[in-house]
Amino acid sequence: MSQQSAASKPSLQGVKIKARKGAVKAQAKHEPSGMPDQLYKHLETVPENDFDTFATKLVQAGSTLEFLKYADALFEIILVGGLIQPGGSYVDDRAPTSPFTIFNAKDPASVEDLKKYVDVLNKLIRRYKYLQKPLEAQTLPSLLQYINRWSPDQRDKLAITLGLLFSQGIAGTACLQSLTKDQLVKNDASIAVLAIIFRAYLADQSMDHLAAALKRGNIKDLLLFFPPNRRDAKILDDFFRKEGLPQVAEWYTKKQYALAKEGIIAELKSLSGHEESTETIISAVHSKLEEQTLPDTDLIQCIWQGLMASVDWNARPDQIEGLALREIGKFSPILEAFCNGPKVEVALINQVQVHCYEDTRIMKAFPHILKACVLYNNDCISDQAIIYWHQKGAKPQGKQYFLKSTEALVKFLQEQDSDEDDE
């Protein structure tokens, strides 16, 4: 064997293998670095209710402690007073509680008191913006899954704090999905916490603001926070009204109405586009109403929108009005099936008015749609509905134009009614 081949192979020495960030963070919470003790040293000299000093001390601690690495531990200490292990119990039950934690707030929990704690968190996150993501993506979902392990007072404090964090934009509502787990929804535990969160939020912001926050967090259906055997819109409505949150009940009802409307419009567009029979289309609408009822005035507007959406309007400009009259004449038996009263008839006229206003190609056809060969002659709407609409029921969109264009029709109908009265 040659001397060259007998030589030892080169090796790397002094090379440090860099661990993955995720592994570092996962280990950080439990490594014996004494992070809680170090943090406590910054906080333990602060008087109990001196929140400005607590905020200052936490910001100062960030210059020496690796907050990004210890984000989970930091927020668990601030929110629940110590480190939490899988299962929801404290890592060390004998360890001292944090000098600063929301669990130190007065009993019973109140929005006014917990706002002071949330203000401290807000100042900390404004200084260290990188802490916001781990708070909403890791800490809050983790703590929420153990919500049934806290005492009632602790649960209320955490729920109010969450409501304030959401209302002030410090954290997003996506973490609420943790409350839909099976072990939490039973016995109404999740929905009870959600009501407290909403009440705190609405003490700070409007229902529209809360609705937007829930949408951003992809919280689509509040029924998922109820036990499976209680997932009913009436139960939800009763629950939030009893909790003093009627605005939540009303918002949910409107949201369900909106979804039902979208479903009916899409169904009619599809069925009409495939030229299904009138009977099939009417039956499909009734089936949709079994899933979610709608006021008759809203329903007729949805039916009109769905039918009109199925029409191919790619015709020559001089043929658009004729196309509109033909198509609406074809759909009039469907409209007639759901025109079951004066209010519904006026709602339909208003829907036609708005449609003609938005599609200027068929504005001139409006009086013909009402009389000549479509709605009036097919008994969809009565003469009294047209007269009432003309006198005081018209929508503001293009109102003067549409009233002027139907003057002759209304005059004719009024004279016809007078002749019938004379007889």
Side-chain angles (χ1 to χ4, degrees):
M1 182 179 293
S2 66
Q3 184 176 357
Q4 183 176 0
S5 61
S8 60
K9 294 181 179 180
S11 62
L12 293 175
Q13 294 182 357
V15 176
K16 184 178 180 181
I17 305 299
K18 188 176 181 180
R20 290 178 178 271
K21 287 183 179 179
V24 170
K25 288 181 182 179
Q27 179 64 25
K29 184 170 158 183
H30 303 290
E31 67 185 16
S33 62
M35 184 273 183
D37 294 337
Q38 295 177 49
L39 182 62
Y40 291 177
K41 287 178 182 178
H42 286 82
L43 304 175
E44 59 192 7
T45 58
V46 181
E48 185 176 351
N49 293 314
D50 189 349
F51 294 97
D52 288 337
T53 304
F54 274 125
T56 301
K57 290 291 185 179
L58 282 168
V59 169
Q60 289 175 351
S63 63
T64 56
L65 300 177
E66 298 181 73
F67 274 179
L68 182 58
K69 179 180 178 182
Y70 297 109
D72 272 352
L74 171 67
F75 287 122
E76 286 181 5
I77 289 169
I78 292 174
L79 293 173
V80 298
L83 302 184
I84 301 299
Q85 63 185 346
S89 59
Y90 287 101
V91 172
D92 184 358
D93 290 333
R94 294 168 298 177
T97 302
S98 169
F100 179 80
T101 169
I102 65 168
F103 283 176
N104 289 342
K106 299 173 185 176
D107 294 326
S110 68
V111 170
E112 292 73 20
D113 193 31
L114 283 158
K115 267 186 179 180
K116 301 169 187 174
Y117 291 83
V118 172
D119 286 343
V120 173
L121 264 172
N122 194 10
K123 291 174 182 177
L124 176 65
I125 290 175
R126 275 197 318 222
R127 174 60 181 85
Y128 301 107
K129 190 66 178 173
Y130 57 76
L131 288 174
Q132 187 168 14
K133 185 176 180 180
L135 173 65
E136 17 177 57
Q138 296 157 212
T139 307
L140 294 183
S142 176
L143 292 178
L144 278 172
Q145 68 181 329
Y146 305 129
I147 197 72
N148 56 349
R149 299 187 64 89
W150 311 116
S151 70
D153 286 337
Q154 291 174 329
R155 182 203 65 181
D156 291 354
K157 290 172 185 177
L158 184 57
I160 291 173
T161 299
L162 284 169
L164 295 173
L165 289 173
F166 298 152
S167 69
Q168 295 181 25
I170 302 171
T173 60
C175 62
L176 291 177
Q177 294 178 29
S178 292
L179 287 175
T180 61
K181 294 183 177 181
D182 292 342
Q183 72 271 21
L184 299 180
V185 298
K186 64 182 181 180
N187 301 322
D188 285 348
S190 290
I191 196 63
V193 170
L194 197 67
I196 299 169
I197 292 171
F198 285 176
R199 192 177 295 109
Y201 194 113
L202 293 171
D204 223 22
Q205 300 288 355
S206 67
M207 186 62 230
D208 288 340
H209 197 280
L210 172 57
L214 292 173
K215 184 177 181 180
R216 288 193 299 272
N218 203 30
I219 307 299
K220 295 180 179 179
D221 191 355
L222 298 187
L223 287 179
L224 296 177
F225 295 88
F226 284 87
N229 63 340
R230 284 170 47 77
R231 288 175 184 170
D232 180 87
K234 181 66 169 62
I235 290 175
L236 182 147
D237 188 90
D238 290 344
F239 173 82
F240 281 110
R241 290 185 187 281
K242 287 177 182 176
E243 289 290 326
L245 296 167
Q247 62 271 56
V248 177
E250 290 161 8
W251 164 77
Y252 183 81
T253 299
K254 289 178 182 178
K255 185 171 181 287
Q256 295 311 109
Y257 279 168
L259 292 173
K261 289 177 184 179
E262 291 173 7
I264 288 173
I265 292 170
E267 183 82 356
L268 285 172
K269 179 180 178 181
S270 174
L271 292 173
S272 301
H274 289 88
E275 299 185 350
E276 296 289 348
S277 68
T278 297
E279 293 75 17
T280 300
I281 294 174
I282 292 173
S283 177
V285 174
H286 283 301
S287 295
K288 285 287 185 182
L289 291 176
E290 289 176 5
E291 300 172 9
Q292 173 67 56
T293 58
L294 284 175
D296 292 340
T297 52
D298 289 349
L299 175 62
I300 199 67
Q301 293 169 359
C302 291
I303 292 173
W304 173 271
Q305 292 172 28
L307 294 173
M308 292 301 100
S310 69
V311 178
D312 182 2
W313 296 101
N314 292 321
R316 284 171 22 195
D318 60 333
Q319 296 177 340
I320 286 290
E321 288 186 24
L323 171 64
L325 294 175
R326 284 195 305 275
E327 292 296 326
I328 296 169
K330 182 176 71 175
F331 294 142
S332 60
I334 301 170
L335 293 166
E336 183 182 350
F338 296 95
C339 279
N340 51 12
K343 287 185 179 180
V344 184
E345 293 171 11
V346 173
L348 176 57
I349 298 172
N350 277 324
Q351 184 60 45
V352 177
Q353 175 194 335
V354 172
H355 185 91
C356 292
Y357 174 78
E358 292 175 348
D359 189 346
T360 55
R361 298 174 299 174
I362 59 173
M363 281 186 72
K364 293 180 180 179
F366 180 71
H368 300 292
I369 292 173
L370 293 186
K371 179 182 181 294
C373 63
V374 188
L375 297 177
Y376 179 70
N377 288 354
N378 282 285
D379 295 326
C380 286
I381 52 177
S382 65
D383 53 354
Q384 290 302 316
I386 295 174
I387 293 170
Y388 177 86
W389 168 84
H390 192 272
Q391 290 177 343
K392 52 185 176 182
K395 290 281 188 180
Q397 292 93 327
K399 180 177 179 178
Q400 295 307 315
Y401 171 82
F402 291 115
L403 293 181
K404 182 72 175 175
S405 69
T406 53
E407 279 182 351
L409 170 60
V410 172
K411 184 177 180 181
F412 167 76
L413 295 176
Q414 289 172 328
E415 291 173 352
Q416 190 178 50
D417 283 349
S418 297
D419 292 341
E420 290 177 357
D421 292 340
D422 291 342
E423 296 176 3

